[in-house]
Amino acid sequence: MPVFSQSSTIKPKRAQLDRSVAGAISAQAPFERIKHYLKSGLATGVWPPGALMPSESELVAQFSVSRMTVGRAIRELQQEGLVERTQGVGTFAAELHRVSSSLTIRDIHEEIVGRGHVHRATVHLKRAERASASIAKRLDVKLNSVVFHTLLVHHENGVPLQCEDRFVNPICAPDYLSVDFTEVTPTHYLFQVAPLIEAQFSVEAGLPSSREAKLLQMSAAEPCLIVSRRTVNRDTPITFARLVHPASRYQIDSVFKPY
Amino acid sequence: MPVFSQSSTIKPKRAQLDRSVAGAISAQAPFERIKHYLKSGLATGVWPPGALMPSESELVAQFSVSRMTVGRAIRELQQEGLVERTQGVGTFAAELHRVSSSLTIRDIHEEIVGRGHVHRATVHLKRAERASASIAKRLDVKLNSVVFHTLLVHHENGVPLQCEDRFVNPICAPDYLSVDFTEVTPTHYLFQVAPLIEAQFSVEAGLPSSREAKLLQMSAAEPCLIVSRRTVNRDTPITFARLVHPASRYQIDSVFKPY
DNA sequence: TAACTATACTTGTCTAGACAACACTATGCA
DNA sequence: TGCATAGTGTTGTCTAGACAAGTATAGTTA
């Protein structure tokens, strides 16, 4: 169950009608064909990592296109991290050393529904509180000032999957407490109310608190995957959330497929 | 070094002097300036999510550049996920709903050295073994065929940080067992030997085995962050690794900053 | 030999124009 | 009224040429 999707999202590039007569096989745009040609060579080892690849002028001659078209194809490969270019020298097949696959974190509702399952949320706490020291710091508000606090459990097909402990800055979402979170997730609501400028994540392992273990119907000794998220809107922290998932029911999957 | 072709009778119709002469303020290329202009507007709410943004022709007039230049700027913003375009309609500020932050998993050596700390590895097992059923499946080899098995502990400033349990397909790296893994990490060596085509990750929480707990000098009841990684080179699995990190010493951090 | 120079080749960027595909709107006709 | 059609504006793509800037090398000079 892939929680995360890979980063190389292929755009819905529609296959535009070919302008030339010889477009029997490939209905792709020329720059797409060149990209595909180069990607194939990279994938099959024609140009192993570090190898010098064809110059733009060579590709211009080979494909009978203008340099702009070749340039766009190569530039997009560069942006995808598949080739490296040096002005005055040439284009080289990238060392895929830094296997940094990027994992995409999504809203829990989208995630569950995307798997074709049923999402249900139960609200266990929804109130205004005085900010403790750590919360005040994270939300950049004064100590003991009023903040909103919610505690939800998200279920997938009836099984508790995530315990969401969230603090919200009232400045950003004054009506937060009047929302029915069995209908819309806090994440979704906050996105509508306060556009996001920056988000900080951390992923770690840990043990649930006794209350969290009870809410998640799990042993207090079982490890959890804990995602902490803090979102900021132009110098104003919006919210801080601690998302606790039982290890046995949750893992992050990802596939890195460069070519 | 002909900087100017003085003899030329053809006059430059539009001065491209800005980059060389007036580079004091903006040394950026025009398409970069346009990107920056649009990003600023997106960040400051000039175009809130979903809003219609200026058309290419408007930007052409505003910046006195050609359509290709404007097009490149907008296309790159589109590739970054900041705007959405519809042919025949226009360009719209993207809903950053899908807060796809990206978590990057790196080689442990790079990671530790990147923090300015000292990396040291100890080897606790390095031998050929008969593949068990689960390993045979993951490496796509026959049951009981020979595979290489290493067990390393990576230390950051002397503190055990990661226990690396790895199985390697001998087809891809026949000399694997002769490598000194106190000098080069298995990840790094394998990258050189077998270029990577595909990698599958999973991140989960769990408990260490008794041996892992001992090697990591931690309690067997303390949770761990466990990364499993399987890399494939064109239909041939290269290696499967289980990377165990004590929860108290390791977490994955990430920042999402779209603009 | 060592340093400089001219040259060739590479990537990086931009122009002005062109045609195609698509969405929307206004208009005219039945 | 309802429908087809033409027109307008948008994005998507490509061309042929140009200049700029960086690198490497061969040749020349001190």
Side-chain angles (χ1 to χ4, degrees):
Chain A
M1 48 187 101
V3 175
F4 293 60
S5 63
Q6 72 192 46
S7 60
S8 60
T9 35
I10 304 299
K11 289 271 161 281
K13 296 266 189 201
R14 100 208 132 285
Q16 77 160 40
L17 281 194
D18 191 301
R19 81 197 57 219
S20 69
V21 277
I25 295 179
S26 86
Q28 283 182 325
F31 86 93
E32 292 277 15
R33 285 195 297 118
I34 297 171
K35 272 185 74 174
H36 181 261
Y37 167 78
L38 295 172
K39 275 195 179 187
S40 300
L42 289 167
T44 58
V46 174
W47 304 292
L52 179 63
M53 298 185 64
S55 71
E56 293 196 355
S57 58
E58 286 174 309
L59 292 170
V60 162
Q62 181 175 341
F63 285 89
S64 301
V65 295
S66 77
R67 227 194 107 202
M68 283 296 290
T69 303
V70 167
R72 174 172 176 185
I74 300 178
R75 188 168 58 244
E76 293 195 359
L77 293 181
Q78 182 185 21
Q79 287 164 344
E80 294 172 28
L82 297 183
V83 303
E84 292 175 0
R85 314 191 78 184
T86 306
Q87 189 176 75
V89 183
T91 303
F92 300 87
E95 318 269 353
L96 289 179
H97 239 219
R98 204 148 276 134
V99 186
S100 48
S101 169
S102 57
L103 312 174
T104 304
I105 297 186
R106 300 190 298 172
D107 180 30
I108 187 72
H109 177 76
E110 283 187 26
E111 197 179 310
I112 292 174
V113 172
R115 285 195 283 264
H117 292 172
V118 175
H119 171 240
R120 183 171 58 86
T122 54
V123 181
H124 298 270
L125 195 150
K126 184 162 85 169
R127 69 183 182 198
E129 287 182 5
R130 300 281 170 183
S132 68
S134 67
I135 294 302
K137 185 182 174 188
R138 286 197 241 248
L139 290 185
D140 195 24
V141 297
K142 287 181 183 174
L143 187 64
N144 291 326
S145 67
V146 172
V147 296
F148 298 150
H149 185 190
T150 53
L151 182 62
L152 275 68
V153 175
H154 296 278
H155 302 257
E156 177 171 9
N157 284 354
V159 178
L161 182 69
Q162 179 189 96
C163 183
E164 172 188 337
D165 196 357
R166 182 183 294 273
F167 292 87
V168 174
N169 189 337
I171 303 295
C172 300
D175 298 328
Y176 181 73
L177 291 183
S178 61
V179 178
D180 179 5
F181 292 124
T182 63
E183 290 298 321
V184 57
T185 65
T187 298
H188 193 264
Y189 173 76
L190 289 172
F191 268 130
Q192 293 187 323
V193 171
L196 172 139
I197 298 293
E198 184 180 335
Q200 299 160 3
F201 295 88
S202 78
V203 178
E204 59 190 325
L207 292 174
S209 68
S210 58
R211 183 179 196 180
E212 287 166 346
K214 188 179 172 188
L215 290 173
L216 290 169
Q217 300 169 23
M218 62 183 288
S219 157
E222 185 191 337
C224 290
L225 196 66
I226 303 173
V227 177
S228 301
R229 186 163 46 181
R230 179 172 178 264
T231 62
V232 179
N233 172 359
R234 188 156 49 256
D235 301 328
T236 308
I238 303 171
T239 181
F240 172 79
R242 169 183 155 99
L243 312 173
V244 181
H245 314 78
S248 59
R249 299 174 210 155
Y250 194 83
Q251 70 179 25
I252 299 171
D253 288 323
S254 176
V255 176
F256 173 61
K257 213 166 185 173
Y259 304 119
Chain B
M1 191 194 302
V3 177
F4 296 114
S5 46
Q6 193 72 14
S7 62
S8 172
T9 57
I10 299 176
K11 283 298 109 197
K13 30 248 147 174
R14 259 191 42 80
Q16 301 183 326
L17 40 111
D18 285 334
R19 275 193 301 295
S20 52
V21 180
I25 295 180
S26 93
Q28 285 181 324
F31 85 93
E32 292 278 12
R33 286 195 297 116
I34 297 171
K35 273 185 73 174
H36 183 262
Y37 167 77
L38 295 173
K39 275 195 181 188
S40 300
L42 288 167
T44 58
V46 174
W47 304 291
L52 178 63
M53 297 185 63
S55 71
E56 292 196 356
S57 59
E58 285 175 308
L59 292 170
V60 162
Q62 181 174 343
F63 285 89
S64 302
V65 295
S66 77
R67 228 194 107 202
M68 283 295 289
T69 303
V70 167
R72 175 172 175 185
I74 300 178
R75 188 168 59 244
E76 293 195 0
L77 292 181
Q78 182 184 23
Q79 288 164 343
E80 294 172 29
L82 297 183
V83 304
E84 292 175 0
R85 314 191 79 183
T86 307
Q87 188 175 86
V89 181
T91 303
F92 301 88
E95 317 270 353
L96 289 181
H97 239 221
R98 206 149 276 135
V99 185
S100 48
S101 166
S102 60
L103 307 177
T104 303
I105 299 178
R106 299 192 298 172
D107 179 31
I108 188 73
H109 177 77
E110 282 188 27
E111 196 176 314
I112 292 173
V113 171
R115 284 196 284 263
H117 291 172
V118 176
H119 170 238
R120 184 172 58 84
T122 54
V123 181
H124 299 270
L125 195 150
K126 183 163 85 169
R127 67 182 184 197
E129 286 181 6
R130 300 281 170 183
S132 69
S134 66
I135 295 302
K137 184 182 174 188
R138 287 196 241 247
L139 290 185
D140 196 22
V141 296
K142 287 181 181 173
L143 187 64
N144 291 325
S145 67
V146 172
V147 296
F148 299 150
H149 185 189
T150 52
L151 182 62
L152 275 68
V153 175
H154 296 278
H155 302 257
E156 177 170 10
N157 285 353
V159 178
L161 183 67
Q162 178 188 97
C163 183
E164 172 187 337
D165 196 356
R166 181 183 294 274
F167 292 87
V168 174
N169 189 337
I171 303 294
C172 299
D175 298 327
Y176 181 73
L177 291 183
S178 62
V179 178
D180 179 5
F181 291 124
T182 63
E183 291 298 321
V184 57
T185 65
T187 298
H188 193 265
Y189 173 76
L190 290 171
F191 269 130
Q192 292 186 324
V193 173
L196 172 143
I197 299 293
E198 184 179 335
Q200 300 161 4
F201 295 88
S202 78
V203 179
E204 59 189 324
L207 291 174
S209 69
S210 59
R211 182 178 197 178
E212 288 165 344
K214 188 180 171 188
L215 289 173
L216 290 169
Q217 299 168 25
M218 61 183 289
S219 158
E222 185 191 337
C224 290
L225 196 66
I226 303 173
V227 177
S228 302
R229 185 163 46 181
R230 179 171 177 264
T231 62
V232 179
N233 173 357
R234 187 155 49 259
D235 302 329
T236 308
I238 303 171
T239 181
F240 172 78
R242 169 184 156 97
L243 312 173
V244 181
H245 313 77
S248 59
R249 299 174 211 155
Y250 193 85
Q251 68 179 25
I252 299 172
D253 289 322
S254 176
V255 175
F256 173 59
K257 214 165 183 173
Y259 304 119

